Amino acid sequence: MKTACVLGFGKSGVSATRFLLHLGYRVHATDDVYNVDNFLCNFDDNSNIFTSLPDEIEVKNFDFLVSSPGIKKTHPLIEKFRKNGIEVFCDIELAFRFMQNTNQKVVGITGTNGKTTTTLLVEHMLNKQNIFAKACGNIGVPFCDVLLEEKKPQVYVLELSSYQLETITTKKLDIAAILNISLNHLDWHESFDEYKKAKFQIAEALKKDGFLLLPHDLEYNASAARFDIDGRGEYCFLENKIVIHGKEVMQINKETLLFDHDRKNYIAALAIVKQLGVLPATAKEAFFSFKKPNHRIQFVKEVEGIAFYDDSKATNLDAVKHAVLSFSCPVILIAGGLHKGSSYSEWIPIFQNIVKCVVAYGQARDIIANDLQESIPTYKAASFEEAVYLAKSYAKRGDVVLLSPGASSLDQFKSYEERGIFFQTLVKSL
């Protein structure tokens, strides 16, 4: 009987195990945090599942290892598998290798910022055109689980992270899009070049006749369609017009797409769905009925003339820049969390004349203060709650208090969603 190893007891590991059992594999599942009961309760029949701690595994008995995206490639078990010449890859690559139905289209979307919103927007536009699409991958339901669903979508829309892309080699994508690349995950990747290389791996997963979409200003040595919001590229905004291959296809007021990043996400989504048969009029209608995911520059409440915004999803430095530049009024920025390896000093030229002060909290607060305080007033909060109250105390009528952390949530919260919900709860109690 074929045997595979799965590293990680989380959502991805459960999904990969379920898929492997469906394929007839015996599965040995392992995790450093060995809560086996919580893992096995996901399966009605676990007779072909074996579990142990990672250091108890003899790697020569396996065909391959499926590793969860959140586990670093320097994990001792991953290194042991590779030293023995046994393949290690993620759940997406597993799904790609064993996909049966070739009639369905597969879209892959990655980027430092905006990939979740764009993935959901593409799904929404396709469904509005009565093309059944399902968003999955690094968002919502794992791809392996979607492949096992009885009702098959016509289009799989995959959000792909750099962690996943590093090990994807099977050419299954009909459409691949990189929305942007900026400094991120230097706590994970050895360098920015390595991070960029992982992002560009999406092009290696593209079929021979596939469609590759890139930002106008992203250097890449292969042919690709380009998008932009300043009149450049095959898909672009030109003032209030959307232009495709030099031809105006619709008008959308800038006031409707308030922030630049919204416009970039929209034009990228439009370029993708056009390849799949969505009409411009349908795409425009879909935009107006689309509800952007929470915690992305989301207005929460106005208190004493001070507007509070939740941008908890901004877990990297570039996302914070985009958020700050979205406002023309003075900003009191709440930043912090678990440091991801980059210097916050790159905020300084962007923040001057916009950010009134920064309130830093969490594990990164001392690093933020050290990087910024000589150029921008920066205050350290003892807790997340205190950060919110301090930010309000420094704000005046007409100002914005913006939670845009620029760091991971995992020092105090389970996710950026939990952090955003807590922020909104605190603001609504003011």
Side-chain angles (χ1 to χ4, degrees), residues 9 16 73 107 131 150 205 215 264 305 313 338 354 356 359 367-368 372 377 382 386:
F9 279 177
K73 58 189 175 184
V107 177
I131 300 170
E150 191 170 331
K264 288 178 180 176
K313 179 64 172 68
L338 185 63
I354 302 175
K356 183 185 286 188
V359 179
I367 304 170
I368 293 172
L372 299 182
E386 185 181 70

Side-chain angles (χ1 to χ4, degrees), residues 79-98:
E79 291 184 333
K80 190 191 286 189
F81 266 86
R82 285 185 166 146
K83 283 177 183 176
N84 281 271
I86 301 173
E87 282 190 291
V88 178
F89 45 79
C90 68
D91 60 316
I92 304 293
E93 174 64 14
L94 172 68
F96 279 2
R97 292 189 180 196
F98 293 98

Side-chain angles (χ1 to χ4, degrees), residues 177-193:
I178 301 177
L179 304 177
N180 47 66
I181 300 179
S182 58
L183 278 171
N184 197 20
H185 295 307
L186 295 187
D187 57 335
W188 181 283
H189 299 284
E190 291 181 2
S191 66
F192 183 45
D193 284 341

Side-chain angles (χ1 to χ4, degrees), residues 125-297:
M125 287 176 168
L126 288 165
N127 287 325
K128 278 289 182 181
Q129 191 69 55
N130 295 319
I131 300 170
F132 177 34
K134 188 72 177 278
C136 51
N138 195 49
I139 174 180
V141 183
F143 187 31
C144 286
D145 281 349
V146 175
L147 288 181
L148 295 179
E149 290 178 355
E150 191 170 331
K151 187 178 180 182
K152 306 295 184 189
Q154 294 165 270
V155 182
Y156 298 107
V157 189
L158 300 178
E159 178 188 318
L160 299 172
S161 71
S162 61
Y163 309 157
Q164 293 166 322
L165 285 166
E166 275 193 320
T167 60
I168 295 175
T169 55
T170 301
K171 295 183 181 298
K172 280 291 183 179
L173 295 179
D174 297 280
I175 298 172
I178 301 177
L179 304 177
N180 47 66
I181 300 179
S182 58
L183 278 171
N184 197 20
H185 295 307
L186 295 187
D187 57 335
W188 181 283
H189 299 284
E190 291 181 2
S191 66
F192 183 45
D193 284 341
E194 184 187 277
Y195 173 64
K196 285 195 294 185
K197 183 180 178 182
K199 288 295 191 185
F200 280 122
Q201 189 67 21
I202 197 170
E204 300 303 313
L206 195 63
K207 293 177 181 176
K208 187 177 180 180
D209 58 348
F211 176 80
L212 178 62
L213 180 69
L214 302 176
H216 182 269
D217 58 354
L218 187 62
E219 292 185 9
Y220 189 60
N221 59 0
S223 62
R226 300 285 181 160
F227 72 95
D228 196 56
I229 60 170
D230 293 319
R232 300 169 297 179
E234 295 95 320
Y235 301 85
C236 63
F237 275 86
L238 187 60
E239 297 177 343
N240 290 342
K241 302 169 186 175
I242 290 180
V243 177
I244 297 178
H245 293 291
K247 181 181 177 181
E248 179 187 336
V249 296
M250 71 176 83
Q251 290 192 345
I252 294 185
N253 293 332
K254 284 187 177 181
E255 292 74 20
T256 303
L257 288 162
L258 187 59
F259 302 130
D260 280 354
H261 59 266
D262 288 328
R263 299 167 72 213
K264 288 178 180 176
N265 293 341
Y266 181 73
I267 197 68
L270 182 62
I272 291 167
V273 300
K274 187 178 185 299
Q275 314 310 310
L276 299 166
V278 175
L279 300 174
T282 306
K284 184 175 182 178
E285 178 191 340
F287 172 76
F288 287 109
S289 61
F290 176 68
K291 188 179 184 300
K292 195 163 72 168
N294 294 330
H295 315 301
R296 291 154 174 85
I297 319 184

Side-chain angles (χ1 to χ4, degrees), residues 20-21 65 111 118 137 172 242 294 306 322 354 358 393-394 408 430:
L20 286 163
L21 294 173
L65 168 67
T118 306
K172 280 291 183 179
I242 290 180
N294 294 330
I306 303 163
H322 286 302
I354 302 175
V358 175
S393 72
Y394 297 132
S408 166
L430 293 175

